[in-house]
């Protein structure tokens, strides 16, 4: 027994060491691409193209950041990205939550068929619907407009299904108590369901905003004017003759594109954790 007692701490210690090493390796794998982007953005052109490549720049410069604003209407591209991603997120949260509430809390004829249709639509590839959507947007005269960018994405089948599943997890006693007090369905939705669904709304909001902020194909298809492009589509304009890409300028633009996402996450991180802890207690 004495020998076994002496071995246990060593086994626990070895397991802890392996766990720490594994976590450090995973963190390095995640942070290395970010480090490459950051350091490359501050390298002069000669050092970016040098071989063998180096990670940390020998000479720090802001030349790449100046060039991206000189070669592209980058301020306008940032504004377009904010309006596009923010507008889609706002409308998607409104329409998805309304549809999800109806499917989760209201019994009506055809609700099951509608739910099945929504789930089936998740299996249809996005590329299969791109041409019909573009034709519709073009017929409405919405090409190169924010309406053409935002309206087709104002609701999402995944968002509806995701919020429906969350609404189903909320106790129905909350609804029944509100109905006894004379609350209407919309009042129940606004004052009972939404305050308790903040974690799900924040999760869907983050997912939707990041997905649209980083989307390349959608802005390329629905905008032909450089002034109406987004950051991702605007960066493709940096490709020179023969497919030559100024890596330093590209990394500087990518770094600027990532910063709003990091700031948004830091701003809502505490709110998200508090909402998860208080779900169903309001």
């Amino acid at each position: 027994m004495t020998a076994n007692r002496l071995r246990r701490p060593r086994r626990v210690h070895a397991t802890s060491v392996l766990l720490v090493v594994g976590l450090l390796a995973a963190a390095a794998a995640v942070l290395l691409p970010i480090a490459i982007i950051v350091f490359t953005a501050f390298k002069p052109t000669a050092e970016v193209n040098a071989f063998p490549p180096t990670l940390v720049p020998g000479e720090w410069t802001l030349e790449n950041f100046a060039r991206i604003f000189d070669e592209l209407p980058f301020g306008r591209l940032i504004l377009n990205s904010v309006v596009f991603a923010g507008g889609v997120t706002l409308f998607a949260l409104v329409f998805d939550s309304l549809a999800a509430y109806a499917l989760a809390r209201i019994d009506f004829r055809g609700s099951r068929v509608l739910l099945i249709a929504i789930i089936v639509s998740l299996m249809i590839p996005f590329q299969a619907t791109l041409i019909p959507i573009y034709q519709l947007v073009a017929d409405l005269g919405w090409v190169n407009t924010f309406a053409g960018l935002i309206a087709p994405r104002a609701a999402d089948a995944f968002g509806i299904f995701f919020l429906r599943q969350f609404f189903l997890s909320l106790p129905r006693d909350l609804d029944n108590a509100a109905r006894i007090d004379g609350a209407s369905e919309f009042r129940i939705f606004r004052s009972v369901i939404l305050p308790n669904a903040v974690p799900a709304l924040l999760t869907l909001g983050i997912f939707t905003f990041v997905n649209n902020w980083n989307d390349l194909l959608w802005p390329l298809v629905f905008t032909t004017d450089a002034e109406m492009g987004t950051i991702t589509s605007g960066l493709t304009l940096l490709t020179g003759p023969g497919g030559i890409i100024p890596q330093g300028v590209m990394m500087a633009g990518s770094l600027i594109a990532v910063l709003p996402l990091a700031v948004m996450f830091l701003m809502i991180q505490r709110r998200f954790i508090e909402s998860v802890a208080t779900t169903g207690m309001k």
Side-chain angles (χ1 to χ4, degrees):
M1 292 182 63
T2 304
N4 290 336
R5 289 179 181 176
L6 292 175
R7 290 176 184 173
R8 285 179 185 173
R10 293 182 181 177
R11 292 179 180 176
V12 172
H13 180 70
T15 303
S16 301
V17 171
L18 291 176
L19 180 60
V20 171
V21 171
L23 291 176
L24 290 176
V30 173
L31 294 177
L32 181 59
I34 300 176
I36 293 175
I37 293 175
V38 174
F39 290 138
T40 305
F42 290 96
K43 288 182 181 180
T45 303
E47 192 170 346
V48 171
N49 298 327
F51 187 85
T54 58
L55 179 61
V56 180
E59 178 185 353
W60 296 77
T61 179
L62 296 176
E63 174 190 356
N64 296 318
F65 294 92
R67 283 184 58 187
I68 197 169
F69 281 94
D70 291 339
E71 298 180 13
L72 294 175
F74 208 67
R76 176 59 189 245
L77 298 180
I78 294 174
L79 177 62
N80 292 344
S81 294
V82 171
V83 174
F84 167 55
V88 171
T89 302
L90 178 62
F91 283 109
L93 289 178
V94 172
F95 293 133
D96 290 354
S97 59
L98 287 170
Y101 175 79
L103 291 172
R105 302 305 234 199
I106 302 176
D107 295 327
F108 61 93
R109 181 176 298 179
S111 61
R112 185 174 296 275
V113 176
L114 181 59
L115 176 61
I116 293 174
I118 291 174
I119 296 175
V120 170
S121 69
L122 291 172
M123 305 176 188
I124 301 176
F126 160 71
Q127 293 80 3
T129 61
L130 187 60
I131 294 177
I133 293 176
Y134 177 82
Q135 186 63 52
L136 177 60
V137 170
D139 291 342
L140 293 173
W142 286 356
V143 177
N144 287 320
T145 65
F146 287 119
L149 286 171
I150 296 173
R153 292 193 164 187
D156 180 66
F158 170 78
I160 295 173
F161 180 75
F162 174 78
L163 291 179
R164 174 190 177 271
Q165 297 304 112
F166 186 87
F167 291 166
L168 288 175
S169 67
L170 297 177
R172 283 191 173 268
D173 293 341
L174 299 175
D175 306 32
N176 296 332
R179 289 191 180 92
I180 292 174
D181 291 337
S184 62
E185 289 295 336
F186 183 75
R187 180 65 182 275
I188 295 173
F189 168 74
R190 179 173 60 88
S191 301
V192 177
I193 300 299
L194 289 186
N196 287 285
V198 172
L201 293 173
L202 286 177
T203 301
L204 181 61
I206 293 172
F207 178 83
T208 304
F209 187 88
V210 172
N211 182 50
N212 287 277
W213 181 274
N214 293 329
D215 197 348
L216 172 62
L217 181 59
W218 189 269
L220 281 178
V221 171
F222 290 91
T223 60
T224 57
D225 185 358
E227 292 290 331
M228 281 302 301
T230 61
I231 293 179
T232 51
S233 63
L235 290 177
T236 61
L237 301 176
L238 294 173
T239 304
I244 299 175
I245 300 175
Q247 297 292 343
V249 182
M250 184 73 74
M251 294 304 169
S254 301
L255 182 59
I256 296 175
V258 169
L259 288 179
L261 301 180
V263 172
M264 180 188 67
F265 177 77
L266 292 175
M267 289 176 59
I268 67 175
Q269 176 182 348
R270 179 174 299 179
R271 174 60 176 163
F272 177 78
I273 295 174
E274 292 175 352
S275 301
V276 172
T278 59
T279 299
M281 298 174 61
K282 298 180 180 181

